[in-house]
Amino acid sequence: MGRVGPVAAGESSGSVVRRILLGSQLRRLRDSRGITREAAGYSIRASESKISRMELGRVSFKARDVEDLLTLYGVTDEAERDSLLGLAREANVAGWWHSYGDVLPGWFQTYVGLEGAASLIRIYEVQFVHGLLQTEEYAHAVVSRGMRGAPAAEIDRRVALRLERQKTLVSERAPRFHAVLDEAALRRPYGGREVMRAQLRHLIEMSEQPNITLQVMPFSFGGHAGESGSFTMLRFPESDLSDIVYLEQLTSALYLDKDEEVAQYEKAMERLHQESPGPEESRDLLRGLLQLS
C-alpha cells in the first residue's frame, strides 16, 4: 500500500480503511482471474495507473466502476456484490479533516484518516513531542518554527487541526496509544520556558490515562533501536487490514505494509519498549525535567 470531536469523526476515519479494504479485495479478485491492470482499466474507460490507485485505496470509487469491475472479475453472487458496493459507498464518506483542506497536504490526509481508525497507535519520536500529545501553545511554537513567514491565520488553522486530531485519544472508541519519546524531544525548547513546563506537565497528566503508555528513552542509555529516526505503527480492528508503518518526510510520506518491512519496525519498536524505562520511571524522568526547567 505504501505509496499510499465527534463520533462522526471516527466514522469518517473508517472510510479511509474501507477504501483500502475495498481496493485490496478488488486487487485480489483481479489477480485470481489473471486479469492485467491494463485490461481492467480498459473495462472502465480508465488507465492502468487509475486501477493501481484504486487498488491502493488512494482514490474514491464510483459505483459504476466497481460494478463493471465485479462483472469483469466474474462476481455474480448478489450478496457479495452488494457487500462490496456497500463498502464503496462507505469509502466515499468525506472525513472531518476535509474542512482543513486549505492547510492539509494531500499526502497527509490519508494518515489522518488511518490514525483516527486505528485501534493501536505506537510511535517513536525524536524531534519534538508527538502531535497527539502537544499542548496548544507548544503546537503553535512547533508550527510557527516550521512555517516561518506563514500568515498567522494559516498557523492557527494547522494548530486547530492538530487539536482536533487529539480528540481521538479521549473518544468513546479511543485507541491504545504507546509513545516512546526520546529525551532529545523533551529538551529541545519550543516556545520558551513556560510553554515547555506546561508541556511537560501535560505529558505527565496524559501518561496517567488508561489507554496511554508513555516511555522516555534517556540520553544515558546511549545508542538504541530508534537509530533510523521517528516512525509510527498503526494497527486496525479489521482483521483484513495489515499493520502499517508510517514514515513522514519533508514533502511526502511512506506507508509500508509488506510483512517483511513491518516486521523490522516491529522488532525496533519492541526493543524501544524493552530498553526504555517503564511508564512510572518515565514519569519520574518527566518530573525531573520539570524541576530543571
Side-chain angles (χ1 to χ4, degrees):
M1 167 191 334
R3 283 80 43 190
V4 266
V7 174
E11 293 170 352
S12 58
S13 296
S15 68
V16 176
V17 171
R18 290 178 175 87
R19 200 168 67 216
I20 294 169
L21 281 173
L22 178 57
S24 66
Q25 292 192 47
L26 290 174
R27 182 175 64 235
R28 175 181 54 79
L29 287 167
R30 181 182 58 76
D31 286 342
S32 69
R33 301 301 190 275
I35 297 171
T36 65
R37 287 193 183 92
E38 183 180 10
Y42 182 80
S43 75
I44 62 168
R45 302 152 298 282
S47 65
E48 179 181 352
S49 62
K50 170 71 176 293
I51 295 295
S52 178
R53 291 195 298 273
M54 290 174 66
E55 292 180 351
L56 292 170
R58 294 176 60 187
V59 294
S60 58
F61 294 88
K62 293 180 181 178
R64 177 184 172 185
D65 289 344
V66 176
E67 288 176 350
D68 289 348
L69 288 173
L70 292 177
T71 299
L72 177 67
Y73 301 156
V75 180
T76 57
D77 180 78
E78 285 304 316
E80 186 176 1
R81 289 178 69 93
D82 288 346
S83 174
L84 292 170
L85 287 168
L87 261 185
R89 286 190 296 272
E90 295 168 6
N92 288 334
V93 175
W96 61 263
W97 57 89
H98 284 243
S99 63
Y100 290 90
D102 55 327
V103 295
L104 186 63
W107 54 266
F108 192 57
Q109 292 187 25
T110 297
Y111 174 75
V112 175
L114 291 173
E115 180 183 74
S119 57
L120 171 63
I121 303 171
R122 291 176 291 172
I123 67 99
Y124 168 66
E125 186 61 70
V126 66
Q127 176 69 15
F128 34 61
V129 172
H130 190 269
L132 291 181
L133 296 174
Q134 293 177 4
T135 65
E136 182 174 358
E137 293 77 14
Y138 182 94
H140 195 278
V142 169
V143 174
S144 298
R145 180 78 59 86
M147 300 186 62
R148 293 183 184 276
E154 181 177 353
I155 291 174
D156 289 344
R157 289 276 288 161
R158 288 179 179 268
V159 172
L161 167 64
R162 194 159 298 185
L163 297 179
E164 189 69 29
R165 283 171 53 205
Q166 293 178 1
K167 292 181 180 179
T168 190
L169 291 183
V170 294
S171 66
E172 289 183 11
R173 297 160 58 187
R176 288 181 294 135
F177 183 65
H178 195 154
V180 178
L181 300 180
D182 197 281
E183 185 175 343
L186 305 173
R187 287 186 175 273
R188 184 172 289 106
Y190 281 97
R193 181 172 180 269
E194 286 309 313
V195 170
M196 289 302 300
R197 286 179 59 81
Q199 179 62 71
L200 289 169
R201 286 194 294 267
H202 181 66
L203 287 173
I204 294 169
E205 179 182 335
M206 292 298 289
S207 73
E208 293 171 343
Q209 298 300 313
N211 61 313
I212 295 176
T213 301
L214 177 60
Q215 293 178 265
V216 176
M217 171 55 77
F219 286 148
S220 59
F221 187 85
H224 56 73
E227 59 189 5
S228 62
S230 304
F231 64 97
T232 298
M233 298 191 73
L234 303 173
R235 180 168 296 168
F236 306 92
E238 292 81 2
S239 59
D240 291 345
L241 195 60
S242 63
D243 287 5
I244 291 173
V245 176
Y246 172 75
L247 303 173
E248 188 168 319
Q249 301 171 336
L250 188 61
T251 58
S252 62
L254 291 175
Y255 297 86
L256 309 178
D257 67 348
K258 291 182 179 178
D259 290 345
E260 59 271 21
E261 293 178 323
V262 172
Q264 291 300 312
Y265 281 92
E266 181 76 41
K267 290 177 183 176
M269 186 68 81
E270 287 302 321
R271 288 201 301 271
L272 283 167
H273 292 168
Q274 294 165 6
E275 295 168 353
S276 300
E280 188 54 52
E281 192 177 346
S282 291
R283 269 191 289 274
D284 289 340
L285 285 169
L286 289 168
R287 294 185 187 105
L289 289 170
L290 186 57
Q291 292 177 351
L292 291 173
S293 62

